[in-house]
Amino acid sequence: MPGKPKLYYFDGRGKMESIRWLLAAAGVEFEEEFLETREQYEKLLQGGSLLFQQVPMVEIDGMRMVQTRAILSYIAAKYNLYGKDLKERALIDMYVGGTDDLMGFIMMFPFLSAEDKEKQRAFIVQKATSRYFPAYEKVLKDHGQDFLVGNNFSWADVHLLEAILMVEEKKSDVLSGFPQLQAFKVRISSIPTIKKFLEPGSQRKPVPDDKYVETVRRVLRMYYDVKAN
């Protein structure tokens, strides 16, 4: 029997968090090795584990996979979360791509100055409520099903719920004008594997704090300031 997938990243969200979400949604147990020192990172580099000299890296099915999108696509396909045909897969890719764009605005947030954080918070909420959430609200309303694609739970649903919760951390009532998304959030959060991942004590990571930021900067030698949009 193959071992559990093993995730190599920091003890925080970043690009690995969506991988954790998808594995958890599929009901797959996984192990993690947290990068805390530059020496750990350089050992992975010198060992040839990081093809493009970047993390996340996941050991799964005898492979050492890098590139977040490739890892997510593989997991989604392996665990039947990637639609039943090419058309459904294309829709899933499209919805995930939109959600990725929104998440990108949030992922940089912890690395901003206090002043830039307030600007970025407003920017995130504005983009979510004027561009991304209206699109998913319309998809759900027009589709008339419980899930974004077909009538089956997929990667697109997992990714959207993750994004919704991330934006709600910036503005708790951000879904007030989106009844379809409110119902969607309740529905997807109630799926047993998702519900378990949302409970205290799971491998879901908390909102990034100063310790996480300092660790990432030290390990990756990030000596520059990130700028807000």
Side-chain angles (χ1 to χ4, degrees), residues 95 128-142 148 160 178 181:
Y95 299 151
T129 56
S130 67
R131 178 181 295 182
Y132 297 100
F133 287 174
Y136 295 115
E137 183 82 0
K138 184 177 188 303
V139 168
L140 288 165
K141 184 176 182 180
D142 291 350
L148 284 169
L160 179 55
F178 302 98
L181 286 177

PDB file of all heavy atoms in Angstrom, residues 95 128-142 148 160 178 181:
ATOM      1  N   TYR A  95     -13.669  27.963 -13.220  1.00  0.00           N
ATOM      2  CA  TYR A  95     -14.095  28.468 -11.917  1.00  0.00           C
ATOM      3  C   TYR A  95     -12.936  28.507 -10.929  1.00  0.00           C
ATOM      4  O   TYR A  95     -12.795  29.462 -10.161  1.00  0.00           O
ATOM      5  CB  TYR A  95     -15.240  27.617 -11.364  1.00  0.00           C
ATOM      6  CG  TYR A  95     -16.484  27.618 -12.232  1.00  0.00           C
ATOM      7  CD1 TYR A  95     -17.351  26.534 -12.258  1.00  0.00           C
ATOM      8  CD2 TYR A  95     -16.798  28.718 -13.035  1.00  0.00           C
ATOM      9  CE1 TYR A  95     -18.490  26.523 -13.051  1.00  0.00           C
ATOM     10  CE2 TYR A  95     -17.928  28.723 -13.843  1.00  0.00           C
ATOM     11  CZ  TYR A  95     -18.771  27.619 -13.842  1.00  0.00           C
ATOM     12  OH  TYR A  95     -19.893  27.620 -14.635  1.00  0.00           O
ATOM     13  N   ALA A 128     -14.030  41.134  -4.575  1.00  0.00           N
ATOM     14  CA  ALA A 128     -14.891  39.985  -4.281  1.00  0.00           C
ATOM     15  C   ALA A 128     -16.351  40.310  -4.565  1.00  0.00           C
ATOM     16  O   ALA A 128     -17.065  39.503  -5.184  1.00  0.00           O
ATOM     17  CB  ALA A 128     -14.718  39.563  -2.826  1.00  0.00           C
ATOM     18  N   THR A 129     -16.799  41.479  -4.143  1.00  0.00           N
ATOM     19  CA  THR A 129     -18.221  41.802  -4.238  1.00  0.00           C
ATOM     20  C   THR A 129     -18.638  42.376  -5.582  1.00  0.00           C
ATOM     21  O   THR A 129     -19.832  42.379  -5.905  1.00  0.00           O
ATOM     22  CB  THR A 129     -18.616  42.794  -3.129  1.00  0.00           C
ATOM     23  OG1 THR A 129     -17.781  43.958  -3.199  1.00  0.00           O
ATOM     24  CG2 THR A 129     -18.461  42.153  -1.755  1.00  0.00           C
ATOM     25  N   SER A 130     -17.675  42.850  -6.371  1.00  0.00           N
ATOM     26  CA  SER A 130     -18.036  43.438  -7.664  1.00  0.00           C
ATOM     27  C   SER A 130     -17.688  42.549  -8.863  1.00  0.00           C
ATOM     28  O   SER A 130     -18.287  42.687  -9.928  1.00  0.00           O
ATOM     29  CB  SER A 130     -17.345  44.795  -7.840  1.00  0.00           C
ATOM     30  OG  SER A 130     -15.935  44.642  -7.945  1.00  0.00           O
ATOM     31  N   ARG A 131     -16.737  41.633  -8.682  1.00  0.00           N
ATOM     32  CA  ARG A 131     -16.311  40.812  -9.809  1.00  0.00           C
ATOM     33  C   ARG A 131     -16.543  39.315  -9.583  1.00  0.00           C
ATOM     34  O   ARG A 131     -17.197  38.667 -10.402  1.00  0.00           O
ATOM     35  CB  ARG A 131     -14.829  41.052 -10.109  1.00  0.00           C
ATOM     36  CG  ARG A 131     -14.303  40.179 -11.245  1.00  0.00           C
ATOM     37  CD  ARG A 131     -12.817  40.398 -11.515  1.00  0.00           C
ATOM     38  NE  ARG A 131     -12.524  41.735 -11.986  1.00  0.00           N
ATOM     39  CZ  ARG A 131     -11.310  42.151 -12.331  1.00  0.00           C
ATOM     40  NH1 ARG A 131     -10.267  41.339 -12.227  1.00  0.00           N
ATOM     41  NH2 ARG A 131     -11.114  43.386 -12.754  1.00  0.00           N
ATOM     42  N   TYR A 132     -16.031  38.782  -8.494  1.00  0.00           N
ATOM     43  CA  TYR A 132     -15.998  37.321  -8.335  1.00  0.00           C
ATOM     44  C   TYR A 132     -17.277  36.745  -7.742  1.00  0.00           C
ATOM     45  O   TYR A 132     -17.865  35.818  -8.311  1.00  0.00           O
ATOM     46  CB  TYR A 132     -14.771  36.917  -7.514  1.00  0.00           C
ATOM     47  CG  TYR A 132     -13.485  37.293  -8.209  1.00  0.00           C
ATOM     48  CD1 TYR A 132     -12.780  38.436  -7.840  1.00  0.00           C
ATOM     49  CD2 TYR A 132     -13.018  36.547  -9.280  1.00  0.00           C
ATOM     50  CE1 TYR A 132     -11.621  38.809  -8.510  1.00  0.00           C
ATOM     51  CE2 TYR A 132     -11.856  36.906  -9.951  1.00  0.00           C
ATOM     52  CZ  TYR A 132     -11.165  38.041  -9.570  1.00  0.00           C
ATOM     53  OH  TYR A 132     -10.033  38.406 -10.237  1.00  0.00           O
ATOM     54  N   PHE A 133     -17.750  37.268  -6.633  1.00  0.00           N
ATOM     55  CA  PHE A 133     -18.949  36.708  -6.026  1.00  0.00           C
ATOM     56  C   PHE A 133     -20.188  36.861  -6.915  1.00  0.00           C
ATOM     57  O   PHE A 133     -21.008  35.944  -6.984  1.00  0.00           O
ATOM     58  CB  PHE A 133     -19.181  37.315  -4.642  1.00  0.00           C
ATOM     59  CG  PHE A 133     -18.209  36.827  -3.595  1.00  0.00           C
ATOM     60  CD1 PHE A 133     -18.197  37.375  -2.323  1.00  0.00           C
ATOM     61  CD2 PHE A 133     -17.296  35.804  -3.872  1.00  0.00           C
ATOM     62  CE1 PHE A 133     -17.316  36.921  -1.357  1.00  0.00           C
ATOM     63  CE2 PHE A 133     -16.393  35.350  -2.915  1.00  0.00           C
ATOM     64  CZ  PHE A 133     -16.404  35.914  -1.648  1.00  0.00           C
ATOM     65  N   PRO A 134     -20.369  38.005  -7.610  1.00  0.00           N
ATOM     66  CA  PRO A 134     -21.514  38.078  -8.528  1.00  0.00           C
ATOM     67  C   PRO A 134     -21.472  37.000  -9.611  1.00  0.00           C
ATOM     68  O   PRO A 134     -22.522  36.473 -10.018  1.00  0.00           O
ATOM     69  CB  PRO A 134     -21.390  39.477  -9.142  1.00  0.00           C
ATOM     70  CG  PRO A 134     -20.658  40.272  -8.117  1.00  0.00           C
ATOM     71  CD  PRO A 134     -19.675  39.310  -7.511  1.00  0.00           C
ATOM     72  N   ALA A 135     -20.264  36.658 -10.074  1.00  0.00           N
ATOM     73  CA  ALA A 135     -20.140  35.623 -11.114  1.00  0.00           C
ATOM     74  C   ALA A 135     -20.578  34.268 -10.576  1.00  0.00           C
ATOM     75  O   ALA A 135     -21.367  33.546 -11.220  1.00  0.00           O
ATOM     76  CB  ALA A 135     -18.692  35.552 -11.603  1.00  0.00           C
ATOM     77  N   TYR A 136     -20.118  33.901  -9.392  1.00  0.00           N
ATOM     78  CA  TYR A 136     -20.494  32.603  -8.825  1.00  0.00           C
ATOM     79  C   TYR A 136     -21.950  32.586  -8.386  1.00  0.00           C
ATOM     80  O   TYR A 136     -22.619  31.549  -8.467  1.00  0.00           O
ATOM     81  CB  TYR A 136     -19.557  32.244  -7.666  1.00  0.00           C
ATOM     82  CG  TYR A 136     -18.140  32.029  -8.118  1.00  0.00           C
ATOM     83  CD1 TYR A 136     -17.117  32.871  -7.700  1.00  0.00           C
ATOM     84  CD2 TYR A 136     -17.819  30.988  -8.990  1.00  0.00           C
ATOM     85  CE1 TYR A 136     -15.813  32.680  -8.124  1.00  0.00           C
ATOM     86  CE2 TYR A 136     -16.521  30.796  -9.420  1.00  0.00           C
ATOM     87  CZ  TYR A 136     -15.521  31.645  -8.990  1.00  0.00           C
ATOM     88  OH  TYR A 136     -14.243  31.458  -9.426  1.00  0.00           O
ATOM     89  N   GLU A 137     -22.451  33.714  -7.937  1.00  0.00           N
ATOM     90  CA  GLU A 137     -23.887  33.811  -7.607  1.00  0.00           C
ATOM     91  C   GLU A 137     -24.735  33.499  -8.830  1.00  0.00           C
ATOM     92  O   GLU A 137     -25.718  32.750  -8.756  1.00  0.00           O
ATOM     93  CB  GLU A 137     -24.190  35.229  -7.087  1.00  0.00           C
ATOM     94  CG  GLU A 137     -25.617  35.450  -6.644  1.00  0.00           C
ATOM     95  CD  GLU A 137     -25.919  34.960  -5.240  1.00  0.00           C
ATOM     96  OE1 GLU A 137     -25.001  34.439  -4.574  1.00  0.00           O
ATOM     97  OE2 GLU A 137     -27.081  35.085  -4.815  1.00  0.00           O
ATOM     98  N   LYS A 138     -24.338  34.065  -9.980  1.00  0.00           N
ATOM     99  CA  LYS A 138     -25.077  33.827 -11.227  1.00  0.00           C
ATOM    100  C   LYS A 138     -24.945  32.377 -11.687  1.00  0.00           C
ATOM    101  O   LYS A 138     -25.924  31.764 -12.135  1.00  0.00           O
ATOM    102  CB  LYS A 138     -24.564  34.756 -12.318  1.00  0.00           C
ATOM    103  CG  LYS A 138     -25.335  34.658 -13.625  1.00  0.00           C
ATOM    104  CD  LYS A 138     -24.825  35.668 -14.642  1.00  0.00           C
ATOM    105  CE  LYS A 138     -25.719  35.707 -15.884  1.00  0.00           C
ATOM    106  NZ  LYS A 138     -25.849  34.401 -16.544  1.00  0.00           N
ATOM    107  N   VAL A 139     -23.746  31.816 -11.582  1.00  0.00           N
ATOM    108  CA  VAL A 139     -23.541  30.414 -11.965  1.00  0.00           C
ATOM    109  C   VAL A 139     -24.472  29.504 -11.169  1.00  0.00           C
ATOM    110  O   VAL A 139     -25.161  28.643 -11.728  1.00  0.00           O
ATOM    111  CB  VAL A 139     -22.067  29.995 -11.743  1.00  0.00           C
ATOM    112  CG1 VAL A 139     -21.922  28.481 -11.868  1.00  0.00           C
ATOM    113  CG2 VAL A 139     -21.160  30.687 -12.746  1.00  0.00           C
ATOM    114  N   LEU A 140     -24.512  29.697  -9.863  1.00  0.00           N
ATOM    115  CA  LEU A 140     -25.350  28.843  -9.012  1.00  0.00           C
ATOM    116  C   LEU A 140     -26.831  29.045  -9.306  1.00  0.00           C
ATOM    117  O   LEU A 140     -27.605  28.079  -9.354  1.00  0.00           O
ATOM    118  CB  LEU A 140     -25.056  29.134  -7.539  1.00  0.00           C
ATOM    119  CG  LEU A 140     -23.701  28.632  -7.032  1.00  0.00           C
ATOM    120  CD1 LEU A 140     -23.361  29.276  -5.695  1.00  0.00           C
ATOM    121  CD2 LEU A 140     -23.702  27.110  -6.910  1.00  0.00           C
ATOM    122  N   LYS A 141     -27.231  30.282  -9.510  1.00  0.00           N
ATOM    123  CA  LYS A 141     -28.643  30.565  -9.806  1.00  0.00           C
ATOM    124  C   LYS A 141     -29.059  29.982 -11.150  1.00  0.00           C
ATOM    125  O   LYS A 141     -30.097  29.322 -11.268  1.00  0.00           O
ATOM    126  CB  LYS A 141     -28.886  32.074  -9.799  1.00  0.00           C
ATOM    127  CG  LYS A 141     -30.354  32.448  -9.990  1.00  0.00           C
ATOM    128  CD  LYS A 141     -30.553  33.947  -9.867  1.00  0.00           C
ATOM    129  CE  LYS A 141     -32.024  34.309 -10.020  1.00  0.00           C
ATOM    130  NZ  LYS A 141     -32.238  35.783  -9.888  1.00  0.00           N
ATOM    131  N   ASP A 142     -28.247  30.183 -12.185  1.00  0.00           N
ATOM    132  CA  ASP A 142     -28.575  29.681 -13.529  1.00  0.00           C
ATOM    133  C   ASP A 142     -28.509  28.163 -13.582  1.00  0.00           C
ATOM    134  O   ASP A 142     -29.309  27.525 -14.272  1.00  0.00           O
ATOM    135  CB  ASP A 142     -27.607  30.268 -14.559  1.00  0.00           C
ATOM    136  CG  ASP A 142     -27.811  31.765 -14.755  1.00  0.00           C
ATOM    137  OD1 ASP A 142     -28.811  32.306 -14.242  1.00  0.00           O
ATOM    138  OD2 ASP A 142     -26.955  32.391 -15.416  1.00  0.00           O
ATOM    139  N   LEU A 148     -21.354  23.647  -8.242  1.00  0.00           N
ATOM    140  CA  LEU A 148     -21.033  24.538  -9.360  1.00  0.00           C
ATOM    141  C   LEU A 148     -21.076  23.842 -10.717  1.00  0.00           C
ATOM    142  O   LEU A 148     -21.472  24.443 -11.720  1.00  0.00           O
ATOM    143  CB  LEU A 148     -19.632  25.147  -9.154  1.00  0.00           C
ATOM    144  CG  LEU A 148     -19.525  26.268  -8.116  1.00  0.00           C
ATOM    145  CD1 LEU A 148     -18.055  26.582  -7.837  1.00  0.00           C
ATOM    146  CD2 LEU A 148     -20.248  27.519  -8.580  1.00  0.00           C
ATOM    147  N   LEU A 160     -13.936  27.314  -4.000  1.00  0.00           N
ATOM    148  CA  LEU A 160     -14.782  28.482  -3.762  1.00  0.00           C
ATOM    149  C   LEU A 160     -15.076  28.644  -2.274  1.00  0.00           C
ATOM    150  O   LEU A 160     -15.047  29.764  -1.756  1.00  0.00           O
ATOM    151  CB  LEU A 160     -16.077  28.383  -4.562  1.00  0.00           C
ATOM    152  CG  LEU A 160     -17.057  29.548  -4.364  1.00  0.00           C
ATOM    153  CD1 LEU A 160     -16.400  30.895  -4.652  1.00  0.00           C
ATOM    154  CD2 LEU A 160     -18.295  29.353  -5.252  1.00  0.00           C
ATOM    155  N   PHE A 178     -25.527  38.095  -1.285  1.00  0.00           N
ATOM    156  CA  PHE A 178     -25.389  36.937  -2.171  1.00  0.00           C
ATOM    157  C   PHE A 178     -26.076  35.700  -1.569  1.00  0.00           C
ATOM    158  O   PHE A 178     -25.420  34.842  -0.979  1.00  0.00           O
ATOM    159  CB  PHE A 178     -23.903  36.657  -2.432  1.00  0.00           C
ATOM    160  CG  PHE A 178     -23.161  37.819  -3.031  1.00  0.00           C
ATOM    161  CD1 PHE A 178     -22.407  38.672  -2.229  1.00  0.00           C
ATOM    162  CD2 PHE A 178     -23.243  38.081  -4.395  1.00  0.00           C
ATOM    163  CE1 PHE A 178     -21.728  39.751  -2.771  1.00  0.00           C
ATOM    164  CE2 PHE A 178     -22.572  39.168  -4.945  1.00  0.00           C
ATOM    165  CZ  PHE A 178     -21.818  40.001  -4.141  1.00  0.00           C
ATOM    166  N   LEU A 181     -24.755  32.200  -2.611  1.00  0.00           N
ATOM    167  CA  LEU A 181     -23.472  31.852  -2.006  1.00  0.00           C
ATOM    168  C   LEU A 181     -23.615  31.561  -0.513  1.00  0.00           C
ATOM    169  O   LEU A 181     -22.893  30.721   0.031  1.00  0.00           O
ATOM    170  CB  LEU A 181     -22.459  32.973  -2.231  1.00  0.00           C
ATOM    171  CG  LEU A 181     -21.909  33.090  -3.656  1.00  0.00           C
ATOM    172  CD1 LEU A 181     -20.966  34.280  -3.771  1.00  0.00           C
ATOM    173  CD2 LEU A 181     -21.186  31.818  -4.075  1.00  0.00           C
TER     174      LEU A 181
END
